[in-house]
Amino acid sequence: YYDGLLAAADGQIKSPSPLKGPRGSAQAINEAAVAYALTGKTVYGDLGADYLARLSRRDFGRDPTSVLGNGEYLDCMAWGYDALYPHLTDQERKAVRRRLGLEAQWMWVAARTQCKDTIHGWWASDHGNNWQAVAAGGLGMAALALLGEDRHADVWLEAAAIPVRRPMRRGFDSPGP
């Protein structure tokens, strides 16, 4: 597994990812961050830092009826921030914290307001789909990454914990997955 991941990260050094969409961004950041964590090589840290910087300047979109991508962006940025933290400059950390904080706060507000609107807020109140878990999971990851660095992180973490627990309880049977 790790050899393949390192090969993928090496490929990105030769041809960096355009970071298309939340899943493509998550894969690119994951490969760069894990390669950096495994090897400590600055070339991987530089690649991951570049990806985080690019995502920090990107608007994730603000459609409260479709938040799956927002949750995925929060998740990959939080993971990248945490894994690449030792490599990031203070300025890079500040930019990632700012974007993560803005997007996490928007997700938290969207979930709270959309729960009241069953037409548009189905993702926030329907416990039978994975959107709620992905959105809440991204919010929770952002909260964990920003604990002690953003005054709202505790509130986001508490809000994310409840909907994440539901699919975990229902997604697995008693003997395990």
Side-chain angles (χ1 to χ4, degrees):
Y1 170 78
Y2 295 117
D3 290 339
L5 191 137
L6 291 172
D10 287 337
Q12 287 187 49
I13 290 168
K14 294 174 188 162
S15 179
S17 170
L19 300 180
K20 289 188 179 178
R23 291 187 183 154
S25 300
Q27 181 178 351
I29 286 176
N30 181 53
E31 290 168 353
V34 172
Y36 173 72
L38 288 173
T39 67
K41 291 183 178 178
T42 58
V43 67
Y44 298 128
D46 291 345
L47 180 67
D50 175 63
Y51 289 161
L52 285 174
R54 288 166 46 200
L55 285 180
S56 294
R57 294 187 298 268
R58 183 178 292 174
D59 183 354
F60 292 179
R62 295 286 195 285
D63 179 1
T65 65
S66 180
V67 298
L68 190 63
N70 299 75
E72 291 171 339
Y73 275 126
L74 283 171
D75 182 59
C76 79
M77 282 196 73
W79 156 245
Y81 179 69
D82 191 49
L84 295 163
Y85 191 89
H87 185 77
L88 300 173
T89 66
D90 288 341
Q91 184 177 357
E92 290 167 333
R93 289 179 190 145
K94 183 178 178 180
V96 174
R97 277 194 308 268
R98 181 181 172 281
R99 176 55 67 190
L100 266 176
L102 287 171
E103 298 302 332
Q105 183 66 15
W106 179 84
M107 182 71 83
W108 180 76
V109 169
R112 293 175 53 87
T113 58
Q114 292 302 313
C115 282
K116 297 173 186 159
D117 180 352
T118 57
I119 295 171
H120 296 102
W122 63 269
W123 64 269
S125 58
D126 181 356
H127 311 301
N129 69 75
N130 73 333
W131 280 49
Q132 186 183 68
V134 171
L139 179 60
M141 288 290 290
L144 288 169
L146 296 177
L147 275 175
E149 297 186 71
D150 190 298
R151 64 187 174 95
H152 298 101
D154 290 328
V155 174
W156 301 330
L157 188 58
E158 183 179 326
I162 295 166
V164 167
R165 285 185 187 119
R166 286 186 193 115
M168 294 298 285
R169 283 194 304 265
R170 297 203 302 196
F172 300 97
D173 58 20
S174 58

